[in-house]
Every structure is written in structure tokens, then in C-alpha cells.
Amino acid sequence: MPSVSSKLLAPLSRRTGLQEASLARMAAVLVFSLYLYRVGRRPLGRLLATLMARRQRTVSEGGGRRRRQPHRAAAAVNKEFAVELLRLLRIMVPGVLSRESALLGLHTCTLVARTFLSVYVATLEGRMIKYIVRKDIINFTRMILRWLCVALPATYTNSMIRYLESKLALAFRTQLVRYAYERYFANQTYYRVSNLDGRLENADHCLTDDVTTFTSSVAHLYSHLTKPLLDIVIIVMALGKLAKSRGGANVPGMLLAGLVIGLTGQVLRLLSPPFGKLVAEEANRKGYLRYIHSRVIANAEEIAFYGGHQVEMGILETAYRSLMRQMNTIFRNKLWYVMVEQFLMKYVWSGCGMVIISLPLLLGNKRTDEMESDGGVGERTQYVSTAKNMLQSGADAVERLMTSYKEVVELAGYTSRVGSMLTVFDEVGRGQYQRALAAEPTDRQLRAIPMKDGMPLIQGRVRESGEGTIILRDVPIVTPNCDVVVPSLTVTITRDTHLLISGPNGCGKSSLFRILSGLWPVYRGELQKPTTENMFYIPQRPYMSIGSLRDQVIYPDSVEVMRHRGFSDSDLAEILSVVHLGYLVEREGGWDALGDWKDILSGGEKQRMGMARLFYHRPQYALLDESTSAVSMDVEGKMFQAAKDAGITLLTITHRPSLWQYHTHLLQFDGEGGWKFEELNTETRLSLQDEKQSLEKQLNGVPKMQERLQELCTLLGEDSPVLGAASTDFLSSEGSESRLRKDSDRSGSE
């Protein structure tokens, strides 16, 4: 009487063509595999939990002390990462008909061709080994020739994949850099992102290294994911066809392979360190190290004068040690993670592959071997060789697919940094700033500017008009650190108002120019001013650009713009003669001479070059911030008079009384938040200045005269009524000044 198992296996045997004994062995293998999974699941879970706890301790201890940074989105593979990556991909691939799409399509076709070539090469190797076993020289020679013929397109395809990957990364970088540069140079973002916002300390590093690494990672990851997926699909189909040709079934092998791969993926996913956060922090510390280096280069002269090399070297070493600790943390995490990864993917998978290869031979139909002349040895050898090569290619594909998760996590870190950079550029361009304040806002700050969630709100109105009048109504002067220099300023400046601005250091003189130029926001009140091209700012140290001598005069215009405006080199020569720099053309070798102009020109020549730009652009208003402090007074006076004759309204910050005669009004800050706007009577003010200097010289000699009189009285043994009266007057004057200070303090507090 047939058993129950025979009744169950007989119909399946007739449908598949396999013997009942083979099906029984296959079922036994499947049941045994499920039993091993059930028995070892809980111990394996406890082991993984222990390893995860150790990993968390290692990451928390190895991270080191981190610098305080503004809030940044966490770098992880989540919904935010997908949304940010999709946003960046739309920038890098602007359309279906774009050059980037064509490169992607060509790259994909090359990957598909490489997969089919891999399967064909594996089949050729199996045939070659079969003919070697059979000692068939003729067919072996044919296979060798076919092998050599297929080697040329195979090697070309491999090289083409790398070439297209590099081209794709460069195309992605070009699109992203172009987009980032447009945002970086729009609305003075390049200035505001480093002076008004505190989220990006090293925008240069983000625009160079981070963008390059991100685009290369995207291009490489596309190849790293697409080719393994194609390999897995095609190789699984080829292996199934190969197993069926041996009279076997690939179902048990595929189940076993899926079980092992699934367990491997779960183990690696649980044990994978947070590479995204670690890599993002490493990039952050690299950027900070570069930032410190750039500070040393930019301030090398001052550091050398002060002899501060030891301090700067200490700061650099601290930044480098911080980067080194972070890199060591990544190395330690990769050490044990790669060990587990290699154990599972190299040894466990190899053993599983041998079992999969053996199943069709051990459980398959033996009647096909009996029909061969050599007893089926050659066919079995061909099958083993072909299946082994295909399985090896498939295992490599699965390994690349699984290890790519680590690259995806690292890509999340780069995506977070590049995406945050573009977000900061967009928000700063719209006037939305975030900056960590040094302290809580004071009552004076709260009264001067509106605050929300610890950040100042920009509620002032700015209106540009062609009327040529500057009007400030209830505008506070506030620094980027939210220090209120002047709580409220109300001034009207017309085209015939040549304004002299004076006051102690830090009173708000240069800050007013930054507000008028649009560099600093208007937090309250209303500002009406001419358009940007009608206001020209000249600092104490004018910027010398890279280019020719002609470019220094017409900066920021190009030669084409200069020609379009109707200027020629002879016109520029006349401008240089006005500022007493006509000799430069001959001295430097013509208008097209190139050089590092910040080192070629002296301090006075650079300031006069700044004034030459003023005469070239001829704006309505000139904002002069100590712009002629290194120029002799006679040349300075001629340049100011020439500017007034050209119809340019002067707004000047200076400490030289010689420039008073070229101005009509005075805006004086007291350094305590107060200010005074009045007409400037030059003659009266100069006479008062002369009297002040004369009294200062006389009073400087009084202490020495009193000291000599005291010595004479001591030598003669006599008293002097003048000395006593002077002492009494001095004490009484001190007392009266003390009482005046107390009265003023009392009135101020009231």
C-alpha cells in the first residue's frame, strides 16, 4: 500500500518530470533549513542586540567633543533624504531632452550590454572546460577564438562604463555648481551668508568639495545599483534555464539563496554604523580646518606683526585633532563591520552557492547522463563551471547591492550638507537669517527691534526711487550680532547735501553705509534711497580685482560694458590724471598689463584707484569711508573738489578737518546711541578747532610748570601762594566736575 508521502509526491513528480526520491530530498532540505532558522533565530537576535549596544557606545565615545553648530537636519536614509535627493536630482537633470538624460540613457544601455556579456562569457568558459575534459581539440580551439573575439567588446564596455560614470558626475556637478553660483551671487548672498547668517561657516568648502563628492557619489551609486539589479534578474533566469537542462528544479536553490541573502541583509542592517552622520561630521570638520587655514592666509601680515604663530598653530592643531578623532571613529566602525560583511558574503555565501550548484546534480534526473558517451562527465563539468561563474557574478551583484546601502547612507550625509547649503542660500537671499546670539536680548534691543523666538524680525520698509533723495525714518542701526548702536535715526539727505559723518569708533558710521548699500537689513522704520547703481561705496582699503590695469579702473564693469558706455582708454587716462595716477600706464606696461595689484600698488595708490572708479561710474552719491586717509591733503582736496564739480553728492566718514570745507552738513554720533544732524559752518568750526588745539597745547605744559615750581620752593625753603591757589583751584574744579557728572547721571536715570 503506497504511503502518504507517495500519494503527495506522485502528482508533483508527473508535473515536474522529477523522480519522487529527488522531490523527497528537496523537501527534506527545505524543512531542515526552516528548522535551523527557527532554532537559531532567538540566539542570533540576542547576539545582534549585544553588538548593537557595543556599537552605540563606540560611536558616542568616539565622536569626541564637537563644536557648537547651528541646527542642521540629521543625515539619515529617511523621507527627508528622499525629498532632498529628488530636489537635487531635478537640478542636476533639468529635463528629459537634456544632455544629462542622454548620458544616463547611454550609461544604462552600456550596463545592460555588460550584463549580457558576463552571461555569455560564463557560458563560453563552461564549454571550454567541457571540451578540455573530453579532449576535443578542435572545439576547444573554436571556443578559444570565440573567447578572444568577445574580449574586445567586453573590455571596451567595462572602460565605457567608467568613462560614462565620470562624464555623468561632471555633468551633474556642472548643473549643480551653476545653480549654486546663481543663488550664491544673487542679492549679495555671498556677503550675507557669512556676515548676517551663522549656519554656514565654510561656504567655500560646501561649494567645492561637498558638491564634487556628492555628484561623484550619485553617479557612482547609479552604476552601483543599476548593474547589480540587471545582473540578478538576468543571472537568475539563466541559472533556472541551466538547472532545468540538467533535469532538476531551481526552486529549492532559490529558496535557500533567498533565505541566506535575507538573513545577511537583516544582520548587516542592524549592525551597520551610522555612516551618514559620521561622514557628514567628517566633512564638517574638514571644512572647519580649511576655514582656519584660510583665516591664517588672509591675516598673515597681522599675525606676523603680533607674533601670534603659536596661537594660530594651536588652533590649527586642535582642529586637525578633532578631524583625526572623527576619522579614527569611522575607521574603527569599518573594521568590525567589514569583518562581519566579508564573513557573511564571502564564506557563508560561497557554501550556499556550492549547495545550490549541487542540487540539480544530486537530485536531478540521471537518465540524461546515461545517454552521453562519457557518462555525462563533460556535461556535468560544463554545468558546474558555468553555474559557478554565474553564481559568482550573481553573488558579486548581490554583494554590491547590499554594500551599496552603506554608500546610500554616506550619500545621505553629502545630500544633507549640499541641500542645507542651497536652502541657506535661498533663505538668505529672501532675507531670512538664523544666527546664534551671544546673549539674551536686552531691554534696549527689544525696544529698538522686534524679536521672535530669540531672532530679530525684519519689518522695515526699503524703497528705491529715482528721485535722488535719501530718507531714513525711525531706522535703527543694528549690527549682525543684534547690538543696537543707534536706536532710531531720522535723516533726510538731498542731492545738494554733502554730508560729513563723525563720531567715536563703534558709533555706527560704517554701519550706516552698510544699511544704505543694502548689506544690512532695515529692522524697523522706512528707508528711501536711490537705486544701487546710483550709490558707489569706497572703503578705506579698496578691493583690487584679478585682471589688467584697465580692469582696476572700471571695476566691476567688463571691457565690453565699458565700450558700450562709450568710454575709451584715453577717457580712462584722463580719469587717472584727475587722481594723480597717470604715470601708472607707462610704469606698468600699458592698460593690458596683468599683476597682483593689491601688492603692486601702494596704500595711497590703491585709495586713489578707488577714487578713479568713482569718477568712472559717476554715481549720484559717493559713500566714502576713510577712503583718502593715506593720500596727501593737497591731492585729497583736489579729488573732493573734482567730485563735487562732477555733480556727485559726498557722504564722507573722516577724521581730517581739512575735508570740512567740502561738506555742507554734519551728522555726529556720540557713541551712546545719540546723534545730531545740523548744517556745517566750516569757518566757525575751524576756528573752534584751532582754539581747542591751542588750549590743549597750553594745558599740556601746566603740570610740568607746577612740578618745577614745587622743586624751586623746596630748594629755597619757601612757600608759593600761586602754587597753593592752583592746587585749590584744581581741587575745586575736580569737585565741580564730579558734581556735574553726578547731576548728569541722575538726570539720565530719570
Side-chain angles (χ1 to χ4, degrees), residues 618-651:
R618 289 181 179 266
Q620 292 180 358
Y621 286 89
L623 310 180
L624 309 176
D625 189 355
E626 295 283 353
S627 59
T628 55
S629 59
V631 180
S632 61
M633 291 185 181
D634 56 337
V635 175
E636 179 186 54
K638 293 178 181 178
M639 291 191 299
F640 271 74
Q641 187 60 50
K644 292 183 65 176
D645 295 340
I648 301 174
T649 303
L650 304 176
L651 276 66

Side-chain angles (χ1 to χ4, degrees), residues 167-188:
K167 290 285 290 182
L168 198 60
L170 183 59
F172 286 166
R173 180 184 178 185
T174 302
Q175 289 289 344
L176 195 57
V177 165
R178 184 181 294 118
Y179 180 88
Y181 281 177
E182 290 176 356
R183 298 300 186 275
Y184 188 59
F185 287 98
N187 299 323
Q188 300 170 331

